[in-house]
């Protein structure tokens, strides 16, 4: 396996600037580890938008169908009950329940899709360069690019942005 | 900072003056020619008051939440606040036509109706007239210090102004908000004095906030296109669009809450409101109303990209602005004009007048001060907004 390069930073601004500089020098940034979500990092790393939103929408739509059709089946087909003389198939009355079912499906569906997608399971060890990535330090993990042209070394770029290389 | 101050283009100024004149002439002719002018004036008054109200509401929310992102664009909602004065004038005009609009203002009707008798302590002419300046007085007097502090800060740069604005904003949100809710009961809900809905003020507010946000987005994009407010990034529009996206959903949530509870309880004195609005051509308009205020802008703004791009944002905002007019039309007109909705010359004239005078007042107010609060402590943060 290829050797990975890890750099450590004191704050988010250095991290984002450094990611930009490192990428400009044809080095692949594999991932960044930060204690919290850093604004602008996704743009600097050129990450594609997550497709989790589409999964969420799909589940919500299934939830809508289940909510409306389920209630229709219950109150108009299987066991019609006359409530205040209203028609059995009363859409306004179905709406609140359908709304809740949408939220249930969208919420649980998105979370479990995420778990399945990233293969998260109980007891899986956390993957991070250092435990301080969850507290007060910022890390980027890099790999030498295949077609590297720039001559500047990674260490030079990182030290120029007030960071230091970490042995691994 | 090299933001130049805003100057109204003379040809635009001429167009806006003409539009305002069209509205004014329509109102003058209408007063003598048709009773239908009164609901139109009431609609215009509510629409323009809503724009002004949202302006200060937005500024106050920025202050109270200690938000940094909106500072660079804060002068636009501040300028929108000046539309409130036009709303006030129109509302005074409405007072002249009280008898054409409000059933309860006729003493004869009042005496023979035991239900209206019970509401008489609130719904009587003297107190109704008195409450109009009280509402506007609350909005003006609590809002004016916020504007003044903002402008003084442009000169001195003293952060103390911001602290004071936060306190005024909290007061404005609390008292001004309650005043808005009660004013919607007064001005719109009391057109049908037998009917009542406790959520009505909130329902009116949700539509008003939508229209104000849409107006703000359109104005910002327009200003950037003609070369002003260069600090405006798509990130700012994205934040505003998210607001609009959320509040279109809020609108339909409130609309449905009111509708479903009345449908469910099925009490005759409440269902009358919806029977009028769901029958015939008004029913079609109700569906169009939901499409324009919720489904179409919701679908457009669902995508991240369209929240950050000018064209879809302009389309969604324009639809919401027209949608809010339709919403007010459905609140005000059905009990007053019979069974079919009318969109005639009177309505067109008044709509042109609304657009003209609102833009005229807002742009004029915008040209008086720096286009960006140059010495606000959060300005840098706002310019470097990332979303």
């Amino acid at each position: 396996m290829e050797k990975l390069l890890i750099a450590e930073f004191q704050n988010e601004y250095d991290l984002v600037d450094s990611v930009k500089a490192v990428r400009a020098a044809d080095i692949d940034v594999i991932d960044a580890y930060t204690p919290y979500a850093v604004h602008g990092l996704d743009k600097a790393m050129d990450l594609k938008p997550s497709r989790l939103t589409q999964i969420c929408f799909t589940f919500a739509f299934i939830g809508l169908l289940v909510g409306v059709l389920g209630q229709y089946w219950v109150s108009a087909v299987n066991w019609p009950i006359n409530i205040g003389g209203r028609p059995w198939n009363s859409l306004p009355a179905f709406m609140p329940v359908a709304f809740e079912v949408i939220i249930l499906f969208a919420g649980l569906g998105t979370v479990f899709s995420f778990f399945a997608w990233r293969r998260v399971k109980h007891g899986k060890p956390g993957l991070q360069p250092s435990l301080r990535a969850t507290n007060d330090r910022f890390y980027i993990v890099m790999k030498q690019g295949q077609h590297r042209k720039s001559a500047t070394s990674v260490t030079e770029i990182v030290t120029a942005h007030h960071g230091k290389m970490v042995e691994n | 900072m090299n933001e130049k101050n805003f100057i109204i283009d003379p040809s635009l100024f001429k167009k806006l003056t003409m539009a305002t004149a069209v509205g004014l002439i329509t109102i003058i002719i209408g007063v003598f020619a048709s009773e239908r002018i009164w609901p139109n004036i009431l609609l215009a008054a509510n629409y323009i008051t809503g724009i002004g109200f949202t302006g200060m509401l937005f500024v106050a929310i920025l202050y109270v939440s200690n938000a940094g992102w909106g500072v660079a664009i804060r002068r636009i909602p501040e300028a929108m606040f000046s539309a409130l004065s036009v709303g006030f004038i129109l509302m005074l005009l409405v007072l002249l036509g009280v008898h054409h609009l409000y059933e309860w203002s006729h003493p004869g009707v009042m005496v023979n109706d035991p239900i209206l008798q019970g509401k008489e302590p609130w719904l009587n002419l003297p107190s109704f007239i008195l409450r109009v300046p009280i509402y506007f007085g609350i909005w003006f007097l609590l809002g004016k210090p916020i504007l003044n502090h903002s402008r003084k800060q442009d000169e001195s740069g003293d952060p103390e102004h911001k602290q004071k604005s936060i306190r005024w904003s909290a007061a404005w949100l609390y008292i001004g908000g309650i005043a808005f809710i009660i004013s919607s009961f007064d001005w719109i809900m009391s057109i049908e004095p037998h009917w009542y809905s406790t959520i009505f003020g909130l329902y009116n507010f949700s539509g008003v906030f939508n229209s104000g946000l849409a107006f703000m987005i359109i104005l910002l994009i327009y200003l950037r296109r003609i070369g002003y407010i260069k600090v405006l990034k798509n990130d700012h529009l994205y934040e505003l669009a998210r607001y609009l996206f959320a509040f279109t959903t809020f609108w339909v949530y409130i609309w449905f809450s009111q509708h479903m509870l009345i449908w469910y309880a099925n009490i005759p004195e409440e269902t009358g409101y919806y029977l009028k609005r769901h029958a015939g051509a008004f029913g079609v308009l109700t569906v169009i109303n939901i499409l324009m205020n919720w489904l179409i802008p919701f679908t457009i703004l669902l995508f991240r990209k369209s929240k950050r791009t000018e064209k879809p944002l302009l389309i969604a905002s324009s639809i919401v602005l027209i949608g809010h007019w339709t919403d007010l039309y459905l609140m005000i007109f059905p009990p007053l004009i019979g069974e079919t909705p009318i969109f005639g010359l009177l309505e067109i004239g008044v709509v042109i007048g609304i657009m003209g005078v609102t833009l005229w007042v807002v742009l004029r107010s915008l040209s008086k001060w720096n286009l960006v609060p140059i010495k606000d402590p959060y300005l840098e943060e706002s310019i470097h907004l990332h979303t």
Side-chain angles (χ1 to χ4, degrees), chain A residues 39-40 42-43 57 83-84 86 90-93 95-96 99, chain B residues 235 253 256 259-260 262-266 302 304 308 386-387:
Chain A
H39 281 301
D42 51 346
K43 220 184 272 173
F57 185 83
I83 301 169
R86 288 189 184 76
S90 297
L91 202 57
M95 275 299 147
F99 184 66
Chain B
D235 302 74
Y253 178 70
F256 185 71
H259 177 265
M260 195 194 68
I262 289 173
W263 173 85
Y264 207 84
N266 209 9
L302 191 58
R304 180 183 158 91
R308 309 177 63 92
H386 270 297
T387 47

Side-chain angles (χ1 to χ4, degrees), chain A residues 1 47 55 66 69 79 99 110 163:
Chain A
M1 196 183 141
L47 293 179
I55 293 174
V66 170
L69 294 178
W79 199 273
F99 184 66
T110 313

